[in-house]
Amino acid sequence: MPVGANTVLYLASLDGLKLTSSCLSHHGLLLPAERHLHESLFRRADGVQALVATSTLAQGMNLPSHVVIIAGDSRFDPSANQMEQMQAHELLNAAGRAGRAGESAYGFVLVIPSKVVSFDDSKGEIHGYWAQLQAIFSQSDQCLAVEDPLQAVLDRIHVYGMEAGDDADYLLRRLPIGVDDADLDGPARTLLSRTMGAFLRRKANDQDWLASRTDKVLAIRSASAERINPVDWADTLAASIGVEPTLLRELKARLIEVACERSVPAWVNWVYEWLLASPQHVSALIRRETVEGLLGKDYRAIEEFTDQGLHALAALWPMLRLWMDGKTLLEMEVASGVALAKAGHCEKSREFVLRLVPELAYVLSLPELVRRTCGLDSLASAELEALGACAREGFNTPEKLAFQRVRRATHSRVGAHRDWRDIEFWIDPAVPGESWSDVYKRVKAGVEFYDN
């Protein structure tokens, strides 16, 4: 671990072994291992006695909390750039963390209002905000009305058409396509008729709503879809993974040109070169809001899809390579241009790992999906098969990925990279044409021999 690496953690320890923190945090930038560690330390009788949490903890975490202090009944809404009142079910959900079945028979909840509630003793009057709080906490914890999220999307498509937003575009891409040319829209109509929104509308005897929304959606898809007749593999695969058919056909054409076996880093570079040649695909494969969260206002100021893609690739791919090479968050933070003295808890690297890595891993899994769908058996390899998983978990060879999965209970990503140097000698050499399953079995056998 490099000097100062302990400072990137959200807990204080002595020599990396003895915990010196008296309380811990719980928020959205904790890595999964850190989150599990913080929760387990809070559960332990000899662990920490206090946990400072954001609203993420209110979504059903089962922790033995005797006292819950809710510091304010409002929160900051970044989209509106202002504070917003929390809904009743959110406050009640947070309050429900106090006292849990099997842990504590009762709990105590203290709510500190966001606004000062004054009291005029001479007049016997209390601030009007008190009545609002009473109205919230007088409600049952069964107060949340369950709604169909697709209903709002279908309504927007009905009103705004092709300008209904990114989630509407994604819905249009994910709608299934029939294999029968005479009924290409049949599967999509069936799917939309089985949504919760459609059920509620039928129950309310509002058949026109479903018919009008379905016709509008299918008309827009028919007008915007770039599919061929008859429907081919790209149309079918596009409907299942939410990617434009033309993009998949382009990817197949580039795969056919691959003439030799490639390592995991070579495949990563191959995908990078593909996107660099067609940077407009970046906005179609990676959500804009996810990239904005990492790159900030400089990225938001770019309007053209091509320029957005080039800007994102220049920032994301170097960090992806460092992640897959086993570098620490601190090393990634400094390499991204943040001064060591200002690295703090490595918020930029954490944002990248938690938000961007899953989406980049999805992009890197596309070549294998296309290869399998199109039957390009000559390209079959453990490296391509494990490419998406290697990106997601942070490894640059399928052997290291297999080693980490064999030792998952005791090894972190960085630890697996470090210890691979000791175990590699005991692993049988790779066999030409082996699959990911073969690699895993080979590595597992070597690890078991080493351990014994």
Side-chain angles (χ1 to χ4, degrees):
M1 182 176 292
V3 176
N6 189 45
T7 61
V8 310
L9 302 177
Y10 284 95
L11 55 78
S13 62
L14 185 62
D15 297 328
L17 297 173
K18 184 177 180 181
L19 181 68
T20 59
S21 299
S22 58
C23 83
L24 297 177
S25 59
H26 194 289
H27 52 78
L29 283 181
L30 291 178
L31 300 179
E34 290 179 304
R35 186 176 67 251
H36 296 324
L37 174 62
H38 289 203
E39 293 170 3
S40 63
L41 287 171
F42 184 67
R43 287 190 177 98
R44 289 176 53 162
D46 59 346
V48 297
Q49 300 301 309
L51 198 65
V52 180
T54 61
S55 57
T56 57
L57 192 64
Q59 305 306 314
M61 289 303 302
N62 186 9
L63 293 175
S65 306
H66 297 290
V67 178
V68 170
I69 301 175
I70 302 177
D73 55 295
S74 59
R75 64 182 171 197
F76 182 74
D77 181 7
S79 60
N81 198 31
Q82 63 181 13
M83 299 297 292
E84 66 171 359
Q85 176 72 44
M86 295 178 67
Q87 298 184 38
H89 72 272
E90 295 173 311
L91 289 170
L92 292 169
N93 213 0
R97 301 313 105 206
R100 304 294 295 178
E103 298 284 353
S104 181
Y106 61 90
F108 178 78
V109 181
L110 175 63
V111 181
I112 303 175
S114 298
K115 298 179 182 179
V116 176
V117 180
S118 59
F119 178 74
D120 190 335
D121 193 29
S122 62
K123 297 181 181 179
E125 296 179 351
I126 193 170
H127 193 280
Y129 195 62
W130 175 246
Q132 297 182 33
L133 289 176
Q134 282 186 312
I136 290 176
F137 284 95
S138 65
Q139 299 184 49
S140 164
D141 59 0
Q142 305 297 320
C143 60
L144 178 61
V146 179
E147 299 177 350
D148 182 2
L150 288 180
Q151 184 171 336
V153 179
L154 293 174
D155 284 339
R156 273 192 281 113
I157 294 177
H158 185 70
V159 175
Y160 299 106
M162 299 181 66
E163 305 298 325
D166 293 340
D167 55 351
D169 294 338
Y170 183 72
L171 173 63
L172 291 169
R173 292 198 300 267
R174 289 303 303 269
L175 289 176
I177 300 174
V179 295
D180 185 356
D181 293 345
D183 190 23
L184 294 176
D185 293 332
R189 287 185 180 277
T190 301
L191 175 66
L192 293 175
S193 69
R194 293 175 177 174
T195 62
M196 180 181 176
F199 168 76
L200 294 176
R201 292 292 179 167
R202 283 195 297 268
K203 191 175 180 180
N205 199 27
D206 187 5
Q207 300 288 350
D208 292 340
W209 180 89
L210 178 60
S212 61
R213 269 60 180 176
T214 301
D215 291 342
K216 183 74 171 184
V217 165
L218 297 178
I220 292 175
R221 186 179 72 166
S222 178
S224 61
E226 298 181 24
R227 60 174 184 254
I228 61 177
N229 278 317
V231 172
D232 69 349
W233 66 271
D235 297 309
T236 305
L237 182 59
S240 66
I241 64 176
V243 175
E244 289 291 344
T246 51
L247 186 151
L248 297 175
R249 295 188 187 103
E250 177 184 325
L251 185 55
K252 178 188 176 182
R254 292 183 66 91
L255 280 171
I256 293 175
E257 297 175 357
V258 175
C260 61
E261 294 185 3
R262 295 171 181 263
S263 64
V264 167
W267 274 116
V268 171
N269 289 336
W270 184 88
V271 173
Y272 171 75
E273 292 169 358
W274 166 51
L275 294 176
L276 197 63
S278 304
Q280 71 277 6
H281 292 335
V282 174
S283 60
L285 296 172
I286 304 175
R287 290 176 296 179
R288 178 184 174 92
E289 59 268 23
T290 308
V291 183
E292 285 181 355
L294 180 72
L295 303 185
K297 61 182 180 181
D298 291 340
Y299 182 80
R300 285 194 292 270
I302 302 175
E303 296 182 357
E304 293 293 332
F305 287 154
T306 298
D307 295 336
Q308 287 177 3
L310 293 173
H311 186 81
L313 289 172
L316 301 182
W317 234 254
M319 295 190 73
L320 177 65
R321 293 189 179 104
L322 293 173
W323 164 255
M324 297 179 69
D325 286 343
K327 303 302 182 183
T328 65
L329 292 184
L330 185 60
E331 290 171 319
M332 293 170 60
E333 194 81 7
V334 173
S336 68
V338 179
L340 180 61
K342 297 182 179 180
H345 295 293
C346 299
E347 286 85 357
K348 185 174 182 179
S349 296
R350 289 173 178 275
E351 183 81 21
F352 173 79
V353 171
L354 292 169
R355 312 285 188 261
L356 270 305
V357 163
E359 301 213 16
L360 293 173
Y362 164 74
V363 175
L364 289 170
S365 69
L366 292 179
E368 173 63 8
L369 286 174
V370 172
R371 185 203 68 77
R372 287 188 180 186
T373 304
C374 297
L376 302 177
D377 296 337
S378 62
L379 293 178
S381 68
E383 288 77 14
L384 186 57
E385 187 178 350
L387 184 59
C390 283
R392 183 173 58 255
E393 299 187 35
F395 296 97
N396 52 16
T397 69
E399 286 84 1
K400 289 181 182 178
L401 174 66
F403 176 57
Q404 195 273 343
R405 292 192 174 182
V406 172
R407 289 282 183 84
R408 186 185 296 276
T410 57
H411 278 62
S412 65
R413 173 185 63 92
V414 176
H417 276 275
R418 180 189 62 239
D419 294 343
W420 173 253
R421 293 189 293 268
D422 298 327
I423 201 73
E424 185 177 10
F425 175 80
W426 303 96
I427 308 298
D428 290 338
V431 178
E434 65 181 347
S435 66
W436 156 245
S437 177
D438 296 330
V439 172
Y440 180 82
K441 293 176 182 177
R442 177 165 57 85
V443 172
K444 184 179 180 182
V447 171
E448 290 176 348
F449 181 80
Y450 175 83
D451 290 341
N452 295 328

